[in-house]
Short mmCIF file of all heavy atoms in Angstrom, two decimals:
data_model
loop_
_atom_site.label_atom_id
_atom_site.label_comp_id
_atom_site.label_asym_id
_atom_site.label_seq_id
_atom_site.Cartn_x
_atom_site.Cartn_y
_atom_site.Cartn_z
N MET A 30 0.84 -1.21 -0.03
CA MET A 30 -0.02 -0.01 -0.01
C MET A 30 0.90 1.24 -0.01
O MET A 30 1.76 1.41 0.80
CB MET A 30 -0.89 0.01 1.25
CG MET A 30 -2.15 0.79 1.06
SD MET A 30 -3.06 1.00 2.55
CE MET A 30 -4.60 0.14 2.17
N LYS A 31 0.59 2.09 -0.92
CA LYS A 31 1.37 3.34 -1.02
C LYS A 31 0.82 4.43 -0.15
O LYS A 31 -0.35 4.58 0.05
CB LYS A 31 1.36 3.86 -2.50
CG LYS A 31 2.46 3.27 -3.33
CD LYS A 31 2.44 3.91 -4.73
CE LYS A 31 3.59 3.41 -5.62
NZ LYS A 31 3.57 3.98 -6.94
N LYS A 32 1.80 5.22 0.37
CA LYS A 32 1.38 6.36 1.16
C LYS A 32 1.18 7.56 0.30
O LYS A 32 2.04 7.85 -0.56
CB LYS A 32 2.47 6.70 2.20
CG LYS A 32 2.24 5.97 3.53
CD LYS A 32 3.25 6.49 4.55
CE LYS A 32 3.04 5.76 5.85
NZ LYS A 32 4.11 6.20 6.83
N HIS A 33 0.11 8.26 0.40
CA HIS A 33 -0.15 9.41 -0.36
C HIS A 33 0.24 10.69 0.36
O HIS A 33 -0.15 10.89 1.50
CB HIS A 33 -1.60 9.48 -0.72
CG HIS A 33 -2.00 8.43 -1.72
ND1 HIS A 33 -1.82 8.54 -3.05
CD2 HIS A 33 -2.60 7.26 -1.51
CE1 HIS A 33 -2.23 7.42 -3.64
NE2 HIS A 33 -2.73 6.63 -2.71
N HIS A 34 1.04 11.43 -0.31
CA HIS A 34 1.45 12.70 0.24
C HIS A 34 0.44 13.78 -0.16
O HIS A 34 0.24 13.99 -1.36
CB HIS A 34 2.82 13.12 -0.19
CG HIS A 34 3.89 12.29 0.49
ND1 HIS A 34 4.34 12.63 1.75
CD2 HIS A 34 4.60 11.22 0.07
CE1 HIS A 34 5.26 11.71 2.10
NE2 HIS A 34 5.45 10.87 1.11
N ILE A 35 -0.16 14.38 0.83
CA ILE A 35 -1.10 15.46 0.51
C ILE A 35 -0.42 16.79 0.71
O ILE A 35 0.10 17.05 1.80
CB ILE A 35 -2.35 15.38 1.43
CG1 ILE A 35 -3.05 13.97 1.21
CG2 ILE A 35 -3.33 16.46 1.13
CD1 ILE A 35 -4.04 13.60 2.30
N LEU A 36 -0.42 17.55 -0.34
CA LEU A 36 0.23 18.86 -0.28
C LEU A 36 -0.73 19.87 0.39
O LEU A 36 -1.76 20.16 -0.19
CB LEU A 36 0.65 19.36 -1.64
CG LEU A 36 1.88 18.62 -2.27
CD1 LEU A 36 2.04 19.05 -3.70
CD2 LEU A 36 3.15 18.84 -1.44
N VAL A 37 -0.31 20.34 1.51
CA VAL A 37 -1.15 21.36 2.19
C VAL A 37 -0.49 22.73 1.87
O VAL A 37 0.66 22.99 2.22
CB VAL A 37 -1.16 21.13 3.72
CG1 VAL A 37 -2.00 22.24 4.38
CG2 VAL A 37 -1.71 19.76 4.01
N PRO A 38 -1.28 23.57 1.23
CA PRO A 38 -0.73 24.91 0.93
C PRO A 38 -0.53 25.71 2.21
O PRO A 38 -1.46 25.90 2.99
CB PRO A 38 -1.79 25.55 0.03
CG PRO A 38 -3.05 24.77 0.25
CD PRO A 38 -2.62 23.40 0.74
N GLU A 39 0.68 26.15 2.39
CA GLU A 39 1.03 26.91 3.61
C GLU A 39 0.62 28.36 3.42
O GLU A 39 0.90 28.91 2.41
CB GLU A 39 2.47 26.82 3.92
CG GLU A 39 2.91 25.49 4.40
CD GLU A 39 4.40 25.40 4.58
OE1 GLU A 39 4.99 26.32 5.07
OE2 GLU A 39 4.97 24.34 4.18
N PRO A 40 -0.05 28.90 4.38
CA PRO A 40 -0.44 30.31 4.34
C PRO A 40 0.76 31.22 4.59
O PRO A 40 0.86 31.90 5.62
CB PRO A 40 -1.48 30.50 5.43
CG PRO A 40 -1.17 29.41 6.37
CD PRO A 40 -0.44 28.30 5.67
N LYS A 41 1.68 31.21 3.66
CA LYS A 41 2.89 32.05 3.82
C LYS A 41 2.73 33.28 2.97
O LYS A 41 2.06 33.30 1.96
CB LYS A 41 4.15 31.31 3.48
CG LYS A 41 4.21 30.76 2.09
CD LYS A 41 5.44 29.97 1.90
CE LYS A 41 5.51 29.40 0.45
NZ LYS A 41 6.69 28.55 0.24
N SER A 42 3.45 34.29 3.38
CA SER A 42 3.39 35.55 2.65
C SER A 42 4.11 35.44 1.34
O SER A 42 5.11 34.73 1.19
CB SER A 42 4.00 36.65 3.49
OG SER A 42 5.20 36.23 4.05
N LYS A 43 3.60 36.17 0.38
CA LYS A 43 4.18 36.17 -0.97
C LYS A 43 3.94 37.45 -1.72
O LYS A 43 3.17 38.27 -1.25
CB LYS A 43 3.66 34.95 -1.75
CG LYS A 43 2.16 34.98 -1.97
CD LYS A 43 1.74 33.80 -2.78
CE LYS A 43 0.18 33.78 -2.95
NZ LYS A 43 -0.26 32.62 -3.69
N PHE A 44 4.56 37.55 -2.83
CA PHE A 44 4.40 38.71 -3.63
C PHE A 44 3.42 38.43 -4.76
O PHE A 44 3.42 37.32 -5.31
CB PHE A 44 5.71 39.18 -4.24
CG PHE A 44 6.67 39.72 -3.22
CD1 PHE A 44 7.58 38.88 -2.51
CD2 PHE A 44 6.65 41.04 -2.87
CE1 PHE A 44 8.42 39.37 -1.56
CE2 PHE A 44 7.52 41.53 -1.91
CZ PHE A 44 8.39 40.66 -1.25
N GLN A 45 2.64 39.38 -5.12
CA GLN A 45 1.69 39.16 -6.21
C GLN A 45 1.82 40.29 -7.21
O GLN A 45 2.07 41.44 -6.88
CB GLN A 45 0.25 39.13 -5.66
CG GLN A 45 -0.03 37.85 -4.93
CD GLN A 45 -1.45 37.75 -4.44
OE1 GLN A 45 -2.00 38.70 -3.91
NE2 GLN A 45 -2.09 36.64 -4.69
N LYS A 46 1.59 39.87 -8.46
CA LYS A 46 1.61 40.87 -9.52
C LYS A 46 0.21 41.42 -9.67
O LYS A 46 -0.76 40.70 -9.93
CB LYS A 46 2.11 40.19 -10.80
CG LYS A 46 2.81 41.12 -11.75
CD LYS A 46 3.10 40.45 -13.08
CE LYS A 46 4.37 39.59 -13.03
NZ LYS A 46 4.61 39.01 -14.38
N VAL A 47 0.07 42.72 -9.57
CA VAL A 47 -1.24 43.33 -9.64
C VAL A 47 -1.24 44.41 -10.69
O VAL A 47 -0.32 45.24 -10.78
CB VAL A 47 -1.65 43.93 -8.27
CG1 VAL A 47 -2.96 44.68 -8.35
CG2 VAL A 47 -1.74 42.87 -7.20
N LYS A 48 -2.30 44.40 -11.50
CA LYS A 48 -2.39 45.40 -12.56
C LYS A 48 -3.36 46.47 -12.14
O LYS A 48 -4.49 46.18 -11.71
CB LYS A 48 -2.83 44.70 -13.89
CG LYS A 48 -2.78 45.65 -15.07
CD LYS A 48 -2.99 44.88 -16.35
CE LYS A 48 -4.45 44.62 -16.61
NZ LYS A 48 -4.67 44.00 -17.93
N CYS A 49 -2.92 47.66 -12.27
CA CYS A 49 -3.77 48.84 -11.93
C CYS A 49 -4.93 48.93 -12.89
O CYS A 49 -4.78 48.78 -14.10
CB CYS A 49 -2.95 50.11 -12.05
SG CYS A 49 -3.90 51.59 -11.71
N LYS A 50 -6.10 49.09 -12.33
CA LYS A 50 -7.33 49.18 -13.15
C LYS A 50 -7.47 50.50 -13.86
O LYS A 50 -8.19 50.61 -14.87
CB LYS A 50 -8.55 48.94 -12.31
CG LYS A 50 -8.76 47.47 -11.93
CD LYS A 50 -10.03 47.32 -11.08
CE LYS A 50 -10.29 45.79 -10.85
NZ LYS A 50 -11.40 45.56 -9.92
N GLU A 51 -6.72 51.49 -13.37
CA GLU A 51 -6.78 52.80 -14.02
C GLU A 51 -5.90 53.00 -15.21
O GLU A 51 -6.31 53.48 -16.24
CB GLU A 51 -6.50 53.89 -12.93
CG GLU A 51 -7.51 53.97 -11.81
CD GLU A 51 -8.88 54.41 -12.26
OE1 GLU A 51 -8.97 55.33 -13.12
OE2 GLU A 51 -9.87 53.84 -11.76
N CYS A 52 -4.62 52.54 -15.02
CA CYS A 52 -3.69 52.80 -16.09
C CYS A 52 -3.00 51.50 -16.61
O CYS A 52 -2.10 51.62 -17.49
CB CYS A 52 -2.63 53.80 -15.59
SG CYS A 52 -1.60 53.12 -14.30
N ASN A 53 -3.39 50.38 -16.11
CA ASN A 53 -2.84 49.07 -16.55
C ASN A 53 -1.33 48.90 -16.21
O ASN A 53 -0.71 48.03 -16.77
CB ASN A 53 -3.06 48.87 -18.02
CG ASN A 53 -4.55 48.68 -18.33
OD1 ASN A 53 -5.32 48.26 -17.49
ND2 ASN A 53 -4.96 49.03 -19.55
N GLU A 54 -0.82 49.73 -15.31
CA GLU A 54 0.52 49.57 -14.89
C GLU A 54 0.63 48.36 -13.92
O GLU A 54 -0.21 48.19 -13.10
CB GLU A 54 0.98 50.85 -14.16
CG GLU A 54 2.40 50.88 -13.71
CD GLU A 54 3.42 51.32 -14.83
OE1 GLU A 54 2.91 51.71 -15.94
OE2 GLU A 54 4.55 51.22 -14.60
N GLU A 55 1.62 47.52 -14.15
CA GLU A 55 1.80 46.37 -13.29
C GLU A 55 2.72 46.65 -12.13
O GLU A 55 3.75 47.30 -12.30
CB GLU A 55 2.37 45.16 -14.12
CG GLU A 55 1.37 44.58 -15.01
CD GLU A 55 1.92 43.45 -15.87
OE1 GLU A 55 2.95 42.87 -15.46
OE2 GLU A 55 1.34 43.15 -16.93
N SER A 56 2.31 46.23 -10.96
CA SER A 56 3.08 46.42 -9.75
C SER A 56 3.26 45.11 -9.00
O SER A 56 2.35 44.26 -9.05
CB SER A 56 2.45 47.47 -8.82
OG SER A 56 2.29 48.69 -9.49
N ILE A 57 4.35 44.97 -8.30
CA ILE A 57 4.54 43.78 -7.46
C ILE A 57 4.13 44.19 -6.03
O ILE A 57 4.70 45.17 -5.50
CB ILE A 57 5.99 43.33 -7.49
CG1 ILE A 57 6.47 43.05 -8.90
CG2 ILE A 57 6.16 42.06 -6.61
CD1 ILE A 57 5.75 41.99 -9.65
N ILE A 58 3.16 43.55 -5.51
CA ILE A 58 2.63 43.88 -4.18
C ILE A 58 2.83 42.68 -3.27
O ILE A 58 2.52 41.53 -3.54
CB ILE A 58 1.15 44.26 -4.31
CG1 ILE A 58 1.00 45.57 -5.03
CG2 ILE A 58 0.53 44.39 -2.92
CD1 ILE A 58 -0.43 45.98 -5.27
N TYR A 59 3.31 43.02 -2.08
CA TYR A 59 3.42 42.02 -0.98
C TYR A 59 2.04 41.76 -0.45
O TYR A 59 1.25 42.65 -0.31
CB TYR A 59 4.33 42.61 0.12
CG TYR A 59 4.75 41.68 1.21
CD1 TYR A 59 5.34 40.45 0.84
CD2 TYR A 59 4.55 41.97 2.49
CE1 TYR A 59 5.74 39.58 1.85
CE2 TYR A 59 4.97 41.12 3.52
CZ TYR A 59 5.58 39.90 3.17
OH TYR A 59 5.96 39.04 4.18
N SER A 60 1.76 40.43 -0.23
CA SER A 60 0.39 40.08 0.16
C SER A 60 0.02 40.43 1.58
O SER A 60 -1.09 40.32 1.98
CB SER A 60 0.20 38.57 -0.08
OG SER A 60 1.03 37.83 0.74
N HIS A 61 1.04 40.88 2.37
CA HIS A 61 0.73 41.24 3.74
C HIS A 61 1.13 42.69 4.00
O HIS A 61 2.05 42.98 4.77
CB HIS A 61 1.49 40.31 4.72
CG HIS A 61 0.90 38.93 4.74
ND1 HIS A 61 1.01 38.07 3.66
CD2 HIS A 61 0.24 38.24 5.70
CE1 HIS A 61 0.39 36.91 3.97
NE2 HIS A 61 -0.03 37.01 5.20
N VAL A 62 0.52 43.60 3.29
CA VAL A 62 0.87 45.01 3.39
C VAL A 62 0.36 45.56 4.71
O VAL A 62 -0.63 45.07 5.28
CB VAL A 62 0.34 45.83 2.22
CG1 VAL A 62 0.96 45.39 0.93
CG2 VAL A 62 -1.19 45.80 2.17
N THR A 63 1.09 46.50 5.24
CA THR A 63 0.65 47.15 6.46
C THR A 63 0.24 48.63 6.17
O THR A 63 -0.27 49.30 7.05
CB THR A 63 1.78 47.15 7.52
OG1 THR A 63 2.95 47.64 6.92
CG2 THR A 63 2.07 45.72 7.97
N THR A 64 0.49 49.07 4.97
CA THR A 64 0.06 50.44 4.61
C THR A 64 -0.67 50.33 3.25
O THR A 64 -0.59 49.32 2.55
CB THR A 64 1.30 51.34 4.45
OG1 THR A 64 2.21 50.78 3.48
CG2 THR A 64 1.99 51.59 5.74
N VAL A 65 -1.34 51.39 2.89
CA VAL A 65 -2.02 51.45 1.62
C VAL A 65 -0.97 51.53 0.49
O VAL A 65 -0.05 52.34 0.58
CB VAL A 65 -2.97 52.65 1.58
CG1 VAL A 65 -3.52 52.86 0.19
CG2 VAL A 65 -4.12 52.47 2.58
N ILE A 66 -1.13 50.67 -0.49
CA ILE A 66 -0.18 50.69 -1.62
C ILE A 66 -0.88 51.33 -2.80
O ILE A 66 -1.95 51.02 -3.18
CB ILE A 66 0.19 49.24 -2.01
CG1 ILE A 66 0.74 48.45 -0.79
CG2 ILE A 66 1.19 49.28 -3.17
CD1 ILE A 66 2.02 48.99 -0.21
N GLN A 67 -0.18 52.37 -3.30
CA GLN A 67 -0.75 53.07 -4.45
C GLN A 67 0.05 52.81 -5.71
O GLN A 67 1.26 52.51 -5.64
CB GLN A 67 -0.72 54.64 -4.16
CG GLN A 67 -1.74 55.04 -3.13
CD GLN A 67 -1.57 56.48 -2.77
OE1 GLN A 67 -0.63 56.87 -2.12
NE2 GLN A 67 -2.54 57.29 -3.22
N CYS A 68 -0.59 52.96 -6.85
CA CYS A 68 0.07 52.82 -8.13
C CYS A 68 1.10 53.90 -8.28
O CYS A 68 0.82 55.07 -8.07
CB CYS A 68 -0.99 52.85 -9.22
SG CYS A 68 -0.32 52.87 -10.89
N VAL A 69 2.31 53.53 -8.64
CA VAL A 69 3.37 54.53 -8.82
C VAL A 69 3.12 55.43 -10.00
O VAL A 69 3.62 56.54 -10.11
CB VAL A 69 4.74 53.86 -8.94
CG1 VAL A 69 5.17 53.18 -7.66
CG2 VAL A 69 4.75 52.86 -10.11
N HIS A 70 2.27 54.94 -10.88
CA HIS A 70 2.00 55.67 -12.13
C HIS A 70 0.89 56.72 -11.97
O HIS A 70 1.05 57.87 -12.37
CB HIS A 70 1.64 54.70 -13.25
CG HIS A 70 1.71 55.29 -14.62
ND1 HIS A 70 2.89 55.57 -15.22
CD2 HIS A 70 0.72 55.64 -15.46
CE1 HIS A 70 2.60 56.04 -16.46
NE2 HIS A 70 1.29 56.14 -16.62
N CYS A 71 -0.25 56.35 -11.41
CA CYS A 71 -1.38 57.25 -11.33
C CYS A 71 -1.91 57.49 -9.92
O CYS A 71 -2.75 58.34 -9.68
CB CYS A 71 -2.53 56.70 -12.20
SG CYS A 71 -3.28 55.24 -11.51
N GLY A 72 -1.39 56.76 -8.90
CA GLY A 72 -1.78 57.01 -7.57
C GLY A 72 -3.02 56.26 -7.12
O GLY A 72 -3.48 56.45 -5.98
N ASN A 73 -3.56 55.46 -8.01
CA ASN A 73 -4.74 54.68 -7.63
C ASN A 73 -4.40 53.67 -6.56
O ASN A 73 -3.29 53.09 -6.55
CB ASN A 73 -5.20 53.97 -8.91
CG ASN A 73 -6.52 53.20 -8.70
OD1 ASN A 73 -7.43 53.71 -8.11
ND2 ASN A 73 -6.61 51.96 -9.18
N VAL A 74 -5.28 53.43 -5.61
CA VAL A 74 -5.01 52.45 -4.52
C VAL A 74 -5.04 51.08 -5.05
O VAL A 74 -6.06 50.62 -5.65
CB VAL A 74 -6.03 52.63 -3.39
CG1 VAL A 74 -5.82 51.55 -2.33
CG2 VAL A 74 -5.89 54.04 -2.77
N LEU A 75 -3.95 50.35 -4.90
CA LEU A 75 -3.83 48.97 -5.42
C LEU A 75 -4.10 47.90 -4.34
O LEU A 75 -4.67 46.84 -4.57
CB LEU A 75 -2.45 48.70 -5.99
CG LEU A 75 -2.07 49.52 -7.25
CD1 LEU A 75 -0.65 49.18 -7.66
CD2 LEU A 75 -3.01 49.27 -8.39
N ALA A 76 -3.75 48.24 -3.11
CA ALA A 76 -3.97 47.34 -2.00
C ALA A 76 -4.00 48.11 -0.70
O ALA A 76 -3.35 49.12 -0.54
CB ALA A 76 -2.83 46.30 -1.96
N GLU A 77 -4.79 47.58 0.21
CA GLU A 77 -4.84 48.23 1.52
C GLU A 77 -4.84 47.08 2.60
O GLU A 77 -5.36 45.98 2.31
CB GLU A 77 -6.05 49.13 1.68
CG GLU A 77 -7.37 48.39 1.46
CD GLU A 77 -8.57 49.34 1.54
OE1 GLU A 77 -8.37 50.56 1.38
OE2 GLU A 77 -9.68 48.85 1.77
N PRO A 78 -4.32 47.37 3.73
CA PRO A 78 -4.27 46.35 4.80
C PRO A 78 -5.64 46.01 5.30
O PRO A 78 -6.46 46.92 5.52
CB PRO A 78 -3.38 47.00 5.90
CG PRO A 78 -3.45 48.46 5.65
CD PRO A 78 -3.67 48.65 4.16
N ALA A 79 -5.98 44.73 5.42
CA ALA A 79 -7.27 44.29 5.90
C ALA A 79 -6.98 43.07 6.77
O ALA A 79 -6.95 41.97 6.34
CB ALA A 79 -8.21 43.94 4.77
N GLY A 80 -6.76 43.33 8.05
CA GLY A 80 -6.42 42.23 8.95
C GLY A 80 -4.99 41.79 8.75
O GLY A 80 -4.10 42.64 8.74
N SER A 81 -4.80 40.55 8.47
CA SER A 81 -3.45 39.99 8.28
C SER A 81 -3.06 39.94 6.82
O SER A 81 -1.91 39.75 6.47
CB SER A 81 -3.31 38.64 8.94
OG SER A 81 -4.23 37.74 8.38
N ILE A 82 -4.02 40.07 5.97
CA ILE A 82 -3.72 39.93 4.52
C ILE A 82 -4.26 41.18 3.79
O ILE A 82 -5.25 41.79 4.19
CB ILE A 82 -4.28 38.62 3.96
CG1 ILE A 82 -3.63 38.30 2.62
CG2 ILE A 82 -5.81 38.67 3.83
CD1 ILE A 82 -3.62 36.81 2.32
N ALA A 83 -3.52 41.49 2.74
CA ALA A 83 -3.91 42.69 1.94
C ALA A 83 -5.15 42.49 1.15
O ALA A 83 -5.45 41.39 0.60
CB ALA A 83 -2.75 43.05 1.03
N LYS A 84 -5.95 43.56 1.08
CA LYS A 84 -7.08 43.53 0.18
C LYS A 84 -6.66 44.16 -1.15
O LYS A 84 -6.33 45.32 -1.18
CB LYS A 84 -8.22 44.38 0.85
CG LYS A 84 -9.58 44.22 0.15
CD LYS A 84 -10.48 45.28 0.63
CE LYS A 84 -11.51 44.85 1.71
NZ LYS A 84 -12.38 45.89 2.10
N ILE A 85 -6.59 43.31 -2.14
CA ILE A 85 -6.06 43.80 -3.44
C ILE A 85 -7.22 44.44 -4.22
O ILE A 85 -8.30 43.88 -4.40
CB ILE A 85 -5.48 42.60 -4.26
CG1 ILE A 85 -4.49 41.81 -3.40
CG2 ILE A 85 -4.91 43.05 -5.55
CD1 ILE A 85 -3.17 42.50 -3.15
N LYS A 86 -6.95 45.65 -4.66
CA LYS A 86 -8.00 46.40 -5.43
C LYS A 86 -7.86 46.21 -6.93
O LYS A 86 -8.81 46.47 -7.67
CB LYS A 86 -7.85 47.89 -5.09
CG LYS A 86 -8.03 48.19 -3.57
CD LYS A 86 -9.44 48.51 -3.25
CE LYS A 86 -9.52 49.15 -1.92
NZ LYS A 86 -10.91 49.51 -1.57
N GLY A 87 -6.65 45.96 -7.41
CA GLY A 87 -6.47 45.82 -8.83
C GLY A 87 -6.66 44.40 -9.30
O GLY A 87 -7.21 43.58 -8.59
N ASP A 88 -6.25 44.11 -10.50
CA ASP A 88 -6.39 42.78 -11.09
C ASP A 88 -5.14 41.96 -10.77
O ASP A 88 -4.01 42.33 -11.13
CB ASP A 88 -6.54 42.88 -12.61
CG ASP A 88 -7.84 43.54 -13.00
OD1 ASP A 88 -8.84 43.28 -12.30
OD2 ASP A 88 -7.85 44.24 -13.96
N VAL A 89 -5.30 40.83 -10.02
CA VAL A 89 -4.21 40.03 -9.66
C VAL A 89 -3.83 39.12 -10.86
O VAL A 89 -4.67 38.37 -11.35
CB VAL A 89 -4.52 39.16 -8.43
CG1 VAL A 89 -3.37 38.19 -8.10
CG2 VAL A 89 -4.85 39.99 -7.24
N LEU A 90 -2.64 39.31 -11.33
CA LEU A 90 -2.18 38.54 -12.48
C LEU A 90 -1.51 37.22 -12.10
O LEU A 90 -1.25 36.32 -12.91
CB LEU A 90 -1.19 39.36 -13.30
CG LEU A 90 -1.72 40.73 -13.81
CD1 LEU A 90 -0.61 41.48 -14.47
CD2 LEU A 90 -2.87 40.49 -14.76
N GLY A 91 -1.21 37.09 -10.85
CA GLY A 91 -0.54 35.87 -10.35
C GLY A 91 0.53 36.19 -9.39
O GLY A 91 0.79 37.36 -9.14
N SER A 92 1.10 35.11 -8.84
CA SER A 92 2.19 35.38 -7.86
C SER A 92 3.43 35.69 -8.58
O SER A 92 3.70 35.32 -9.71
CB SER A 92 2.37 34.12 -7.01
OG SER A 92 2.76 33.03 -7.80
N ALA A 93 4.30 36.46 -7.93
CA ALA A 93 5.55 36.86 -8.45
C ALA A 93 6.62 36.58 -7.40
O ALA A 93 7.15 37.46 -6.75
CB ALA A 93 5.52 38.36 -8.83
N GLU A 94 6.97 35.34 -7.33
CA GLU A 94 7.98 34.97 -6.26
C GLU A 94 9.33 34.75 -6.89
O GLU A 94 9.48 34.48 -8.02
CB GLU A 94 7.47 33.70 -5.58
CG GLU A 94 6.26 33.99 -4.72
CD GLU A 94 5.74 32.70 -4.02
OE1 GLU A 94 6.36 32.27 -3.06
OE2 GLU A 94 4.70 32.22 -4.47
ZN1 ZN B 120 -2.19 53.22 -12.12
#
């Protein structure tokens, strides 16, 4: 009988690529921000701290680790 390894995704912090909805500028955002992150291009809010994890306002394109 084979043992099955179940991969449990660890809730670790990571970087995410987020596209600004206003100007389509891509930014790398840490998933556990403690301050409001604004787009460097237009100043639109991309992420804001919400508890322990960031609330992403833009379009998440995927992780950027
Ligand atoms: Zn922008």
Side-chain angles (χ1 to χ4, degrees):
M30 206 188 242
K31 272 184 177 178
K32 269 187 181 176
H33 290 279
H34 285 280
I35 302 165
L36 288 173
V37 179
E39 289 174 42
K41 59 184 179 183
S42 45
K43 60 180 178 182
F44 291 91
Q45 286 184 314
K46 208 188 277 183
V47 176
K48 190 169 78 173
C49 176
K50 283 181 174 175
E51 295 294 320
C52 68
N53 292 334
E54 183 84 5
E55 286 178 22
S56 301
I57 307 296
I58 292 176
Y59 190 52
S60 63
H61 290 66
V62 296
T63 52
T64 55
V65 170
I66 306 297
Q67 289 174 288
C68 174
V69 291
H70 194 75
C71 70
N73 186 44
V74 175
L75 296 178
E77 60 182 20
S81 60
I82 197 154
K84 191 194 259 182
I85 308 289
K86 301 267 194 181
D88 294 323
V89 178
L90 301 175
S92 62
E94 290 177 75

